Amino acid sequence: VLPAYLGARLEVIFLYISIFSVIRALWIYWYTISGIHGLEFRSQESGANSQSIQKRGSPPVEDRSKIVWEQLKYSAPLGLNDFIAILSRWLDKIVVSSFFLPEEYAIYSAGAMEIPFVTILSNTIGIVIMSDLSRLYHEKKIDELIKLWNDTISKTAIIIMPIFGFLIITAQEFIVILYSENYIESIYPFIIYLFLLPLRISPYTTILSATGCTGQVLLGAIFDLIANLGLSIFLVKKIGLVGPAIA
């Protein structure tokens, strides 16, 4: 809030938001690790209590600390992936605000958007099938896993592809209804962004997460961020305002 109140540029505001998010993530990581070490220390100091807990059916403290550590190793890359994904979604707008006037940025940002319904639908479907994918993977039922994955893609495509076709045909009318004739040039980044819809049919991070490959998810997000930044700067210099949308 303070940078915006002081009149800072948009990219500076995003930089402060990113720094704050990183600091918060590091603090949560440190707090969790400290709690794990605290559990281990208390387990050494109170062995008798740990044995009594185990007799009542609860796992000993040292086992619980291992469980927490395993959960952290699985979930931390996903949390960082979400942070990087948010930064990647705003990266093109940061680049545009750095190279163009506020009026041009307004035109770009009005069209450079994903359809919220489609994003929510894709994420929800991924969450719903993740438990089944994980179960089938650990039971080594790979054929059933592939069948479930293919069926999910087919059913999702039935919903998303008609929306994609409809918006491609009516893109100009959609922008005019949404923002008025003054934003007619927003149609160009909007159409480019529409080509993300077919990619939402198959959220590949879901199957990687279900099989425990969260590290690969994080590496992919980092590569995507770096490539997005490099291509955005290159294309904005070569072809202008729509360059970052293509990146």
Side-chain angles (χ1 to χ4, degrees), residues 157-193:
I158 293 173
I159 300 173
I160 292 181
M161 291 309 295
I163 296 174
F164 170 70
F166 173 78
L167 290 175
I168 283 288
I169 296 172
T170 63
Q172 182 172 334
E173 292 79 6
F174 184 82
I175 290 294
V176 171
I177 292 173
L178 206 59
Y179 297 112
S180 80
E181 292 280 353
N182 296 329
Y183 286 85
I184 192 65
E185 293 185 8
S186 299
I187 186 177
Y188 302 113
F190 178 68
I191 289 176
I192 294 171
Y193 258 72

PDB file of all heavy atoms in Angstrom, residues 157-193:
ATOM      1  N   ALA A 157     -12.428 -30.981 -22.516  1.00  0.00           N
ATOM      2  CA  ALA A 157     -12.392 -30.373 -23.853  1.00  0.00           C
ATOM      3  C   ALA A 157     -13.802 -30.077 -24.358  1.00  0.00           C
ATOM      4  O   ALA A 157     -14.013 -29.083 -25.068  1.00  0.00           O
ATOM      5  CB  ALA A 157     -11.668 -31.296 -24.825  1.00  0.00           C
ATOM      6  N   ILE A 158     -14.775 -30.915 -23.996  1.00  0.00           N
ATOM      7  CA  ILE A 158     -16.154 -30.695 -24.426  1.00  0.00           C
ATOM      8  C   ILE A 158     -16.681 -29.358 -23.911  1.00  0.00           C
ATOM      9  O   ILE A 158     -17.501 -28.691 -24.560  1.00  0.00           O
ATOM     10  CB  ILE A 158     -17.047 -31.856 -23.954  1.00  0.00           C
ATOM     11  CG1 ILE A 158     -16.671 -33.146 -24.686  1.00  0.00           C
ATOM     12  CG2 ILE A 158     -18.522 -31.550 -24.152  1.00  0.00           C
ATOM     13  CD1 ILE A 158     -17.384 -34.376 -24.180  1.00  0.00           C
ATOM     14  N   ILE A 159     -16.175 -28.926 -22.753  1.00  0.00           N
ATOM     15  CA  ILE A 159     -16.611 -27.650 -22.175  1.00  0.00           C
ATOM     16  C   ILE A 159     -15.771 -26.488 -22.686  1.00  0.00           C
ATOM     17  O   ILE A 159     -16.296 -25.447 -23.089  1.00  0.00           O
ATOM     18  CB  ILE A 159     -16.533 -27.712 -20.632  1.00  0.00           C
ATOM     19  CG1 ILE A 159     -17.430 -28.836 -20.098  1.00  0.00           C
ATOM     20  CG2 ILE A 159     -16.934 -26.374 -20.020  1.00  0.00           C
ATOM     21  CD1 ILE A 159     -17.288 -29.075 -18.613  1.00  0.00           C
ATOM     22  N   ILE A 160     -14.451 -26.664 -22.704  1.00  0.00           N
ATOM     23  CA  ILE A 160     -13.557 -25.542 -22.973  1.00  0.00           C
ATOM     24  C   ILE A 160     -13.494 -25.185 -24.455  1.00  0.00           C
ATOM     25  O   ILE A 160     -13.488 -23.994 -24.812  1.00  0.00           O
ATOM     26  CB  ILE A 160     -12.149 -25.852 -22.423  1.00  0.00           C
ATOM     27  CG1 ILE A 160     -12.184 -25.882 -20.887  1.00  0.00           C
ATOM     28  CG2 ILE A 160     -11.135 -24.810 -22.909  1.00  0.00           C
ATOM     29  CD1 ILE A 160     -10.846 -26.159 -20.240  1.00  0.00           C
ATOM     30  N   MET A 161     -13.449 -26.162 -25.342  1.00  0.00           N
ATOM     31  CA  MET A 161     -13.273 -25.853 -26.764  1.00  0.00           C
ATOM     32  C   MET A 161     -14.430 -25.050 -27.361  1.00  0.00           C
ATOM     33  O   MET A 161     -14.188 -24.124 -28.154  1.00  0.00           O
ATOM     34  CB  MET A 161     -13.040 -27.138 -27.558  1.00  0.00           C
ATOM     35  CG  MET A 161     -11.697 -27.807 -27.269  1.00  0.00           C
ATOM     36  SD  MET A 161     -10.285 -26.666 -27.392  1.00  0.00           S
ATOM     37  CE  MET A 161     -10.327 -26.256 -29.138  1.00  0.00           C
ATOM     38  N   PRO A 162     -15.692 -25.328 -27.027  1.00  0.00           N
ATOM     39  CA  PRO A 162     -16.756 -24.439 -27.524  1.00  0.00           C
ATOM     40  C   PRO A 162     -16.622 -23.004 -27.020  1.00  0.00           C
ATOM     41  O   PRO A 162     -16.916 -22.055 -27.761  1.00  0.00           O
ATOM     42  CB  PRO A 162     -18.035 -25.102 -26.997  1.00  0.00           C
ATOM     43  CG  PRO A 162     -17.676 -26.539 -26.827  1.00  0.00           C
ATOM     44  CD  PRO A 162     -16.255 -26.528 -26.375  1.00  0.00           C
ATOM     45  N   ILE A 163     -16.195 -22.842 -25.752  1.00  0.00           N
ATOM     46  CA  ILE A 163     -15.975 -21.494 -25.230  1.00  0.00           C
ATOM     47  C   ILE A 163     -14.866 -20.806 -26.007  1.00  0.00           C
ATOM     48  O   ILE A 163     -14.976 -19.615 -26.375  1.00  0.00           O
ATOM     49  CB  ILE A 163     -15.614 -21.560 -23.727  1.00  0.00           C
ATOM     50  CG1 ILE A 163     -16.785 -22.124 -22.920  1.00  0.00           C
ATOM     51  CG2 ILE A 163     -15.226 -20.171 -23.203  1.00  0.00           C
ATOM     52  CD1 ILE A 163     -16.459 -22.360 -21.464  1.00  0.00           C
ATOM     53  N   PHE A 164     -13.808 -21.541 -26.305  1.00  0.00           N
ATOM     54  CA  PHE A 164     -12.697 -21.005 -27.086  1.00  0.00           C
ATOM     55  C   PHE A 164     -13.165 -20.551 -28.465  1.00  0.00           C
ATOM     56  O   PHE A 164     -12.883 -19.435 -28.910  1.00  0.00           O
ATOM     57  CB  PHE A 164     -11.605 -22.075 -27.199  1.00  0.00           C
ATOM     58  CG  PHE A 164     -10.510 -21.739 -28.161  1.00  0.00           C
ATOM     59  CD1 PHE A 164      -9.594 -20.728 -27.884  1.00  0.00           C
ATOM     60  CD2 PHE A 164     -10.369 -22.445 -29.351  1.00  0.00           C
ATOM     61  CE1 PHE A 164      -8.578 -20.414 -28.776  1.00  0.00           C
ATOM     62  CE2 PHE A 164      -9.350 -22.149 -30.247  1.00  0.00           C
ATOM     63  CZ  PHE A 164      -8.459 -21.127 -29.963  1.00  0.00           C
ATOM     64  N   GLY A 165     -13.903 -21.406 -29.167  1.00  0.00           N
ATOM     65  CA  GLY A 165     -14.386 -21.060 -30.506  1.00  0.00           C
ATOM     66  C   GLY A 165     -15.327 -19.872 -30.489  1.00  0.00           C
ATOM     67  O   GLY A 165     -15.236 -18.978 -31.347  1.00  0.00           O
ATOM     68  N   PHE A 166     -16.236 -19.852 -29.517  1.00  0.00           N
ATOM     69  CA  PHE A 166     -17.196 -18.749 -29.422  1.00  0.00           C
ATOM     70  C   PHE A 166     -16.490 -17.411 -29.190  1.00  0.00           C
ATOM     71  O   PHE A 166     -16.815 -16.406 -29.841  1.00  0.00           O
ATOM     72  CB  PHE A 166     -18.192 -19.030 -28.293  1.00  0.00           C
ATOM     73  CG  PHE A 166     -19.122 -17.884 -28.011  1.00  0.00           C
ATOM     74  CD1 PHE A 166     -20.207 -17.660 -28.840  1.00  0.00           C
ATOM     75  CD2 PHE A 166     -18.907 -17.051 -26.919  1.00  0.00           C
ATOM     76  CE1 PHE A 166     -21.077 -16.592 -28.591  1.00  0.00           C
ATOM     77  CE2 PHE A 166     -19.765 -15.988 -26.667  1.00  0.00           C
ATOM     78  CZ  PHE A 166     -20.853 -15.753 -27.493  1.00  0.00           C
ATOM     79  N   LEU A 167     -15.514 -17.377 -28.287  1.00  0.00           N
ATOM     80  CA  LEU A 167     -14.827 -16.134 -27.967  1.00  0.00           C
ATOM     81  C   LEU A 167     -13.906 -15.683 -29.105  1.00  0.00           C
ATOM     82  O   LEU A 167     -13.714 -14.481 -29.308  1.00  0.00           O
ATOM     83  CB  LEU A 167     -14.037 -16.285 -26.668  1.00  0.00           C
ATOM     84  CG  LEU A 167     -14.885 -16.394 -25.405  1.00  0.00           C
ATOM     85  CD1 LEU A 167     -14.009 -16.658 -24.194  1.00  0.00           C
ATOM     86  CD2 LEU A 167     -15.713 -15.121 -25.192  1.00  0.00           C
ATOM     87  N   ILE A 168     -13.336 -16.626 -29.835  1.00  0.00           N
ATOM     88  CA  ILE A 168     -12.522 -16.256 -31.000  1.00  0.00           C
ATOM     89  C   ILE A 168     -13.384 -15.529 -32.030  1.00  0.00           C
ATOM     90  O   ILE A 168     -12.987 -14.510 -32.613  1.00  0.00           O
ATOM     91  CB  ILE A 168     -11.862 -17.498 -31.624  1.00  0.00           C
ATOM     92  CG1 ILE A 168     -10.661 -17.952 -30.777  1.00  0.00           C
ATOM     93  CG2 ILE A 168     -11.409 -17.213 -33.050  1.00  0.00           C
ATOM     94  CD1 ILE A 168      -9.446 -17.064 -30.848  1.00  0.00           C
ATOM     95  N   ILE A 169     -14.599 -16.040 -32.266  1.00  0.00           N
ATOM     96  CA  ILE A 169     -15.496 -15.456 -33.265  1.00  0.00           C
ATOM     97  C   ILE A 169     -16.048 -14.114 -32.797  1.00  0.00           C
ATOM     98  O   ILE A 169     -16.184 -13.173 -33.591  1.00  0.00           O
ATOM     99  CB  ILE A 169     -16.642 -16.434 -33.578  1.00  0.00           C
ATOM    100  CG1 ILE A 169     -16.087 -17.711 -34.228  1.00  0.00           C
ATOM    101  CG2 ILE A 169     -17.686 -15.785 -34.487  1.00  0.00           C
ATOM    102  CD1 ILE A 169     -17.113 -18.815 -34.389  1.00  0.00           C
ATOM    103  N   THR A 170     -16.349 -13.998 -31.512  1.00  0.00           N
ATOM    104  CA  THR A 170     -17.012 -12.792 -30.991  1.00  0.00           C
ATOM    105  C   THR A 170     -16.066 -11.926 -30.156  1.00  0.00           C
ATOM    106  O   THR A 170     -16.528 -11.151 -29.324  1.00  0.00           O
ATOM    107  CB  THR A 170     -18.219 -13.196 -30.128  1.00  0.00           C
ATOM    108  OG1 THR A 170     -17.750 -13.961 -28.987  1.00  0.00           O
ATOM    109  CG2 THR A 170     -19.208 -14.033 -30.917  1.00  0.00           C
ATOM    110  N   ALA A 171     -14.756 -12.042 -30.393  1.00  0.00           N
ATOM    111  CA  ALA A 171     -13.786 -11.318 -29.561  1.00  0.00           C
ATOM    112  C   ALA A 171     -14.016  -9.811 -29.582  1.00  0.00           C
ATOM    113  O   ALA A 171     -13.978  -9.143 -28.538  1.00  0.00           O
ATOM    114  CB  ALA A 171     -12.367 -11.641 -30.019  1.00  0.00           C
ATOM    115  N   GLN A 172     -14.261  -9.254 -30.757  1.00  0.00           N
ATOM    116  CA  GLN A 172     -14.444  -7.806 -30.861  1.00  0.00           C
ATOM    117  C   GLN A 172     -15.682  -7.351 -30.095  1.00  0.00           C
ATOM    118  O   GLN A 172     -15.627  -6.373 -29.325  1.00  0.00           O
ATOM    119  CB  GLN A 172     -14.554  -7.388 -32.332  1.00  0.00           C
ATOM    120  CG  GLN A 172     -14.706  -5.885 -32.516  1.00  0.00           C
ATOM    121  CD  GLN A 172     -14.627  -5.472 -33.967  1.00  0.00           C
ATOM    122  OE1 GLN A 172     -14.017  -6.161 -34.781  1.00  0.00           O
ATOM    123  NE2 GLN A 172     -15.250  -4.351 -34.308  1.00  0.00           N
ATOM    124  N   GLU A 173     -16.788  -8.038 -30.302  1.00  0.00           N
ATOM    125  CA  GLU A 173     -18.024  -7.672 -29.593  1.00  0.00           C
ATOM    126  C   GLU A 173     -17.864  -7.852 -28.092  1.00  0.00           C
ATOM    127  O   GLU A 173     -18.381  -7.051 -27.296  1.00  0.00           O
ATOM    128  CB  GLU A 173     -19.191  -8.527 -30.100  1.00  0.00           C
ATOM    129  CG  GLU A 173     -19.612  -8.249 -31.530  1.00  0.00           C
ATOM    130  CD  GLU A 173     -18.708  -8.882 -32.563  1.00  0.00           C
ATOM    131  OE1 GLU A 173     -17.802  -9.651 -32.165  1.00  0.00           O
ATOM    132  OE2 GLU A 173     -18.908  -8.631 -33.774  1.00  0.00           O
ATOM    133  N   PHE A 174     -17.139  -8.896 -27.681  1.00  0.00           N
ATOM    134  CA  PHE A 174     -16.926  -9.162 -26.256  1.00  0.00           C
ATOM    135  C   PHE A 174     -16.173  -8.007 -25.604  1.00  0.00           C
ATOM    136  O   PHE A 174     -16.555  -7.536 -24.520  1.00  0.00           O
ATOM    137  CB  PHE A 174     -16.142 -10.471 -26.098  1.00  0.00           C
ATOM    138  CG  PHE A 174     -15.935 -10.895 -24.679  1.00  0.00           C
ATOM    139  CD1 PHE A 174     -16.928 -11.575 -23.986  1.00  0.00           C
ATOM    140  CD2 PHE A 174     -14.747 -10.613 -24.024  1.00  0.00           C
ATOM    141  CE1 PHE A 174     -16.728 -11.967 -22.666  1.00  0.00           C
ATOM    142  CE2 PHE A 174     -14.536 -11.005 -22.716  1.00  0.00           C
ATOM    143  CZ  PHE A 174     -15.543 -11.682 -22.028  1.00  0.00           C
ATOM    144  N   ILE A 175     -15.102  -7.531 -26.243  1.00  0.00           N
ATOM    145  CA  ILE A 175     -14.313  -6.434 -25.690  1.00  0.00           C
ATOM    146  C   ILE A 175     -15.124  -5.144 -25.650  1.00  0.00           C
ATOM    147  O   ILE A 175     -15.075  -4.383 -24.664  1.00  0.00           O
ATOM    148  CB  ILE A 175     -13.020  -6.236 -26.512  1.00  0.00           C
ATOM    149  CG1 ILE A 175     -12.055  -7.408 -26.286  1.00  0.00           C
ATOM    150  CG2 ILE A 175     -12.328  -4.921 -26.151  1.00  0.00           C
ATOM    151  CD1 ILE A 175     -11.516  -7.513 -24.872  1.00  0.00           C
ATOM    152  N   VAL A 176     -15.881  -4.879 -26.710  1.00  0.00           N
ATOM    153  CA  VAL A 176     -16.681  -3.648 -26.751  1.00  0.00           C
ATOM    154  C   VAL A 176     -17.747  -3.651 -25.661  1.00  0.00           C
ATOM    155  O   VAL A 176     -17.966  -2.639 -24.981  1.00  0.00           O
ATOM    156  CB  VAL A 176     -17.329  -3.481 -28.146  1.00  0.00           C
ATOM    157  CG1 VAL A 176     -18.345  -2.339 -28.133  1.00  0.00           C
ATOM    158  CG2 VAL A 176     -16.263  -3.214 -29.200  1.00  0.00           C
ATOM    159  N   ILE A 177     -18.418  -4.785 -25.480  1.00  0.00           N
ATOM    160  CA  ILE A 177     -19.432  -4.877 -24.425  1.00  0.00           C
ATOM    161  C   ILE A 177     -18.795  -4.722 -23.053  1.00  0.00           C
ATOM    162  O   ILE A 177     -19.345  -4.068 -22.155  1.00  0.00           O
ATOM    163  CB  ILE A 177     -20.182  -6.216 -24.528  1.00  0.00           C
ATOM    164  CG1 ILE A 177     -21.033  -6.250 -25.799  1.00  0.00           C
ATOM    165  CG2 ILE A 177     -21.069  -6.438 -23.306  1.00  0.00           C
ATOM    166  CD1 ILE A 177     -21.670  -7.594 -26.080  1.00  0.00           C
ATOM    167  N   LEU A 178     -17.615  -5.285 -22.896  1.00  0.00           N
ATOM    168  CA  LEU A 178     -16.966  -5.278 -21.588  1.00  0.00           C
ATOM    169  C   LEU A 178     -16.360  -3.922 -21.256  1.00  0.00           C
ATOM    170  O   LEU A 178     -16.437  -3.459 -20.102  1.00  0.00           O
ATOM    171  CB  LEU A 178     -15.880  -6.356 -21.561  1.00  0.00           C
ATOM    172  CG  LEU A 178     -15.487  -6.944 -20.208  1.00  0.00           C
ATOM    173  CD1 LEU A 178     -16.687  -7.574 -19.533  1.00  0.00           C
ATOM    174  CD2 LEU A 178     -14.375  -7.981 -20.380  1.00  0.00           C
ATOM    175  N   TYR A 179     -15.741  -3.274 -22.248  1.00  0.00           N
ATOM    176  CA  TYR A 179     -14.973  -2.049 -21.950  1.00  0.00           C
ATOM    177  C   TYR A 179     -15.378  -0.826 -22.770  1.00  0.00           C
ATOM    178  O   TYR A 179     -14.875   0.254 -22.507  1.00  0.00           O
ATOM    179  CB  TYR A 179     -13.481  -2.304 -22.219  1.00  0.00           C
ATOM    180  CG  TYR A 179     -12.879  -3.361 -21.336  1.00  0.00           C
ATOM    181  CD1 TYR A 179     -12.475  -4.581 -21.873  1.00  0.00           C
ATOM    182  CD2 TYR A 179     -12.697  -3.153 -19.981  1.00  0.00           C
ATOM    183  CE1 TYR A 179     -11.916  -5.559 -21.077  1.00  0.00           C
ATOM    184  CE2 TYR A 179     -12.140  -4.121 -19.173  1.00  0.00           C
ATOM    185  CZ  TYR A 179     -11.746  -5.320 -19.735  1.00  0.00           C
ATOM    186  OH  TYR A 179     -11.184  -6.292 -18.939  1.00  0.00           O
ATOM    187  N   SER A 180     -16.185  -0.952 -23.819  1.00  0.00           N
ATOM    188  CA  SER A 180     -16.599   0.119 -24.729  1.00  0.00           C
ATOM    189  C   SER A 180     -15.658   0.204 -25.930  1.00  0.00           C
ATOM    190  O   SER A 180     -14.598  -0.439 -25.966  1.00  0.00           O
ATOM    191  CB  SER A 180     -16.665   1.480 -24.029  1.00  0.00           C
ATOM    192  OG  SER A 180     -15.376   2.066 -23.910  1.00  0.00           O
ATOM    193  N   GLU A 181     -16.042   1.023 -26.893  1.00  0.00           N
ATOM    194  CA  GLU A 181     -15.284   1.185 -28.139  1.00  0.00           C
ATOM    195  C   GLU A 181     -13.881   1.747 -27.904  1.00  0.00           C
ATOM    196  O   GLU A 181     -12.993   1.581 -28.750  1.00  0.00           O
ATOM    197  CB  GLU A 181     -16.043   2.114 -29.089  1.00  0.00           C
ATOM    198  CG  GLU A 181     -17.336   1.542 -29.637  1.00  0.00           C
ATOM    199  CD  GLU A 181     -17.100   0.584 -30.789  1.00  0.00           C
ATOM    200  OE1 GLU A 181     -15.938   0.478 -31.232  1.00  0.00           O
ATOM    201  OE2 GLU A 181     -18.080  -0.044 -31.239  1.00  0.00           O
ATOM    202  N   ASN A 182     -13.683   2.432 -26.800  1.00  0.00           N
ATOM    203  CA  ASN A 182     -12.375   3.036 -26.526  1.00  0.00           C
ATOM    204  C   ASN A 182     -11.268   2.001 -26.372  1.00  0.00           C
ATOM    205  O   ASN A 182     -10.087   2.332 -26.502  1.00  0.00           O
ATOM    206  CB  ASN A 182     -12.447   3.904 -25.264  1.00  0.00           C
ATOM    207  CG  ASN A 182     -13.371   5.090 -25.429  1.00  0.00           C
ATOM    208  OD1 ASN A 182     -13.516   5.619 -26.532  1.00  0.00           O
ATOM    209  ND2 ASN A 182     -14.012   5.508 -24.341  1.00  0.00           N
ATOM    210  N   TYR A 183     -11.653   0.766 -26.101  1.00  0.00           N
ATOM    211  CA  TYR A 183     -10.665  -0.290 -25.873  1.00  0.00           C
ATOM    212  C   TYR A 183     -10.663  -1.318 -27.004  1.00  0.00           C
ATOM    213  O   TYR A 183     -10.293  -2.460 -26.788  1.00  0.00           O
ATOM    214  CB  TYR A 183     -10.954  -0.981 -24.544  1.00  0.00           C
ATOM    215  CG  TYR A 183     -10.586  -0.155 -23.337  1.00  0.00           C
ATOM    216  CD1 TYR A 183     -11.490   0.780 -22.827  1.00  0.00           C
ATOM    217  CD2 TYR A 183      -9.356  -0.295 -22.720  1.00  0.00           C
ATOM    218  CE1 TYR A 183     -11.159   1.552 -21.723  1.00  0.00           C
ATOM    219  CE2 TYR A 183      -9.018   0.468 -21.605  1.00  0.00           C
ATOM    220  CZ  TYR A 183      -9.925   1.391 -21.120  1.00  0.00           C
ATOM    221  OH  TYR A 183      -9.596   2.159 -20.029  1.00  0.00           O
ATOM    222  N   ILE A 184     -11.042  -0.884 -28.201  1.00  0.00           N
ATOM    223  CA  ILE A 184     -11.149  -1.825 -29.308  1.00  0.00           C
ATOM    224  C   ILE A 184      -9.806  -2.482 -29.627  1.00  0.00           C
ATOM    225  O   ILE A 184      -9.748  -3.637 -30.059  1.00  0.00           O
ATOM    226  CB  ILE A 184     -11.719  -1.111 -30.567  1.00  0.00           C
ATOM    227  CG1 ILE A 184     -12.108  -2.138 -31.642  1.00  0.00           C
ATOM    228  CG2 ILE A 184     -10.724  -0.103 -31.098  1.00  0.00           C
ATOM    229  CD1 ILE A 184     -13.217  -3.044 -31.254  1.00  0.00           C
ATOM    230  N   GLU A 185      -8.693  -1.763 -29.390  1.00  0.00           N
ATOM    231  CA  GLU A 185      -7.375  -2.338 -29.676  1.00  0.00           C
ATOM    232  C   GLU A 185      -6.985  -3.431 -28.688  1.00  0.00           C
ATOM    233  O   GLU A 185      -6.019  -4.163 -28.925  1.00  0.00           O
ATOM    234  CB  GLU A 185      -6.321  -1.240 -29.688  1.00  0.00           C
ATOM    235  CG  GLU A 185      -6.463  -0.248 -30.842  1.00  0.00           C
ATOM    236  CD  GLU A 185      -5.336   0.760 -30.883  1.00  0.00           C
ATOM    237  OE1 GLU A 185      -4.362   0.584 -30.108  1.00  0.00           O
ATOM    238  OE2 GLU A 185      -5.421   1.704 -31.672  1.00  0.00           O
ATOM    239  N   SER A 186      -7.735  -3.549 -27.607  1.00  0.00           N
ATOM    240  CA  SER A 186      -7.469  -4.621 -26.636  1.00  0.00           C
ATOM    241  C   SER A 186      -7.791  -5.989 -27.207  1.00  0.00           C
ATOM    242  O   SER A 186      -7.433  -7.016 -26.603  1.00  0.00           O
ATOM    243  CB  SER A 186      -8.287  -4.403 -25.358  1.00  0.00           C
ATOM    244  OG  SER A 186      -7.949  -3.187 -24.726  1.00  0.00           O
ATOM    245  N   ILE A 187      -8.445  -6.014 -28.361  1.00  0.00           N
ATOM    246  CA  ILE A 187      -8.809  -7.292 -28.971  1.00  0.00           C
ATOM    247  C   ILE A 187      -7.575  -8.119 -29.319  1.00  0.00           C
ATOM    248  O   ILE A 187      -7.596  -9.351 -29.255  1.00  0.00           O
ATOM    249  CB  ILE A 187      -9.674  -7.058 -30.231  1.00  0.00           C
ATOM    250  CG1 ILE A 187     -10.167  -8.393 -30.788  1.00  0.00           C
ATOM    251  CG2 ILE A 187      -8.911  -6.289 -31.288  1.00  0.00           C
ATOM    252  CD1 ILE A 187     -11.086  -8.244 -31.986  1.00  0.00           C
ATOM    253  N   TYR A 188      -6.452  -7.456 -29.656  1.00  0.00           N
ATOM    254  CA  TYR A 188      -5.262  -8.196 -30.101  1.00  0.00           C
ATOM    255  C   TYR A 188      -4.625  -9.003 -28.967  1.00  0.00           C
ATOM    256  O   TYR A 188      -4.416 -10.214 -29.132  1.00  0.00           O
ATOM    257  CB  TYR A 188      -4.268  -7.224 -30.738  1.00  0.00           C
ATOM    258  CG  TYR A 188      -4.859  -6.469 -31.906  1.00  0.00           C
ATOM    259  CD1 TYR A 188      -5.071  -5.093 -31.843  1.00  0.00           C
ATOM    260  CD2 TYR A 188      -5.239  -7.141 -33.060  1.00  0.00           C
ATOM    261  CE1 TYR A 188      -5.637  -4.403 -32.905  1.00  0.00           C
ATOM    262  CE2 TYR A 188      -5.806  -6.456 -34.134  1.00  0.00           C
ATOM    263  CZ  TYR A 188      -6.007  -5.085 -34.040  1.00  0.00           C
ATOM    264  OH  TYR A 188      -6.566  -4.404 -35.090  1.00  0.00           O
ATOM    265  N   PRO A 189      -4.316  -8.402 -27.813  1.00  0.00           N
ATOM    266  CA  PRO A 189      -3.822  -9.265 -26.726  1.00  0.00           C
ATOM    267  C   PRO A 189      -4.876 -10.246 -26.222  1.00  0.00           C
ATOM    268  O   PRO A 189      -4.541 -11.346 -25.774  1.00  0.00           O
ATOM    269  CB  PRO A 189      -3.416  -8.267 -25.635  1.00  0.00           C
ATOM    270  CG  PRO A 189      -4.129  -7.007 -25.955  1.00  0.00           C
ATOM    271  CD  PRO A 189      -4.262  -6.985 -27.452  1.00  0.00           C
ATOM    272  N   PHE A 190      -6.151  -9.883 -26.332  1.00  0.00           N
ATOM    273  CA  PHE A 190      -7.216 -10.776 -25.872  1.00  0.00           C
ATOM    274  C   PHE A 190      -7.246 -12.057 -26.701  1.00  0.00           C
ATOM    275  O   PHE A 190      -7.337 -13.165 -26.153  1.00  0.00           O
ATOM    276  CB  PHE A 190      -8.563 -10.057 -25.953  1.00  0.00           C
ATOM    277  CG  PHE A 190      -9.728 -10.909 -25.536  1.00  0.00           C
ATOM    278  CD1 PHE A 190      -9.882 -11.310 -24.219  1.00  0.00           C
ATOM    279  CD2 PHE A 190     -10.671 -11.338 -26.467  1.00  0.00           C
ATOM    280  CE1 PHE A 190     -10.951 -12.107 -23.823  1.00  0.00           C
ATOM    281  CE2 PHE A 190     -11.730 -12.126 -26.091  1.00  0.00           C
ATOM    282  CZ  PHE A 190     -11.874 -12.514 -24.768  1.00  0.00           C
ATOM    283  N   ILE A 191      -7.164 -11.924 -28.023  1.00  0.00           N
ATOM    284  CA  ILE A 191      -7.178 -13.107 -28.896  1.00  0.00           C
ATOM    285  C   ILE A 191      -5.952 -13.976 -28.633  1.00  0.00           C
ATOM    286  O   ILE A 191      -6.040 -15.214 -28.613  1.00  0.00           O
ATOM    287  CB  ILE A 191      -7.247 -12.675 -30.376  1.00  0.00           C
ATOM    288  CG1 ILE A 191      -8.625 -12.105 -30.685  1.00  0.00           C
ATOM    289  CG2 ILE A 191      -6.947 -13.856 -31.296  1.00  0.00           C
ATOM    290  CD1 ILE A 191      -8.769 -11.562 -32.094  1.00  0.00           C
ATOM    291  N   ILE A 192      -4.801 -13.347 -28.441  1.00  0.00           N
ATOM    292  CA  ILE A 192      -3.584 -14.117 -28.149  1.00  0.00           C
ATOM    293  C   ILE A 192      -3.763 -14.894 -26.851  1.00  0.00           C
ATOM    294  O   ILE A 192      -3.415 -16.083 -26.758  1.00  0.00           O
ATOM    295  CB  ILE A 192      -2.369 -13.181 -28.079  1.00  0.00           C
ATOM    296  CG1 ILE A 192      -2.088 -12.577 -29.457  1.00  0.00           C
ATOM    297  CG2 ILE A 192      -1.141 -13.938 -27.570  1.00  0.00           C
ATOM    298  CD1 ILE A 192      -1.050 -11.484 -29.447  1.00  0.00           C
ATOM    299  N   TYR A 193      -4.322 -14.249 -25.837  1.00  0.00           N
ATOM    300  CA  TYR A 193      -4.543 -14.917 -24.551  1.00  0.00           C
ATOM    301  C   TYR A 193      -5.558 -16.052 -24.674  1.00  0.00           C
ATOM    302  O   TYR A 193      -5.505 -17.025 -23.907  1.00  0.00           O
ATOM    303  CB  TYR A 193      -5.014 -13.898 -23.503  1.00  0.00           C
ATOM    304  CG  TYR A 193      -3.929 -13.473 -22.546  1.00  0.00           C
ATOM    305  CD1 TYR A 193      -2.893 -12.649 -22.960  1.00  0.00           C
ATOM    306  CD2 TYR A 193      -3.936 -13.895 -21.223  1.00  0.00           C
ATOM    307  CE1 TYR A 193      -1.897 -12.255 -22.085  1.00  0.00           C
ATOM    308  CE2 TYR A 193      -2.950 -13.510 -20.334  1.00  0.00           C
ATOM    309  CZ  TYR A 193      -1.924 -12.689 -20.772  1.00  0.00           C
ATOM    310  OH  TYR A 193      -0.926 -12.308 -19.899  1.00  0.00           O
TER     311      TYR A 193
END
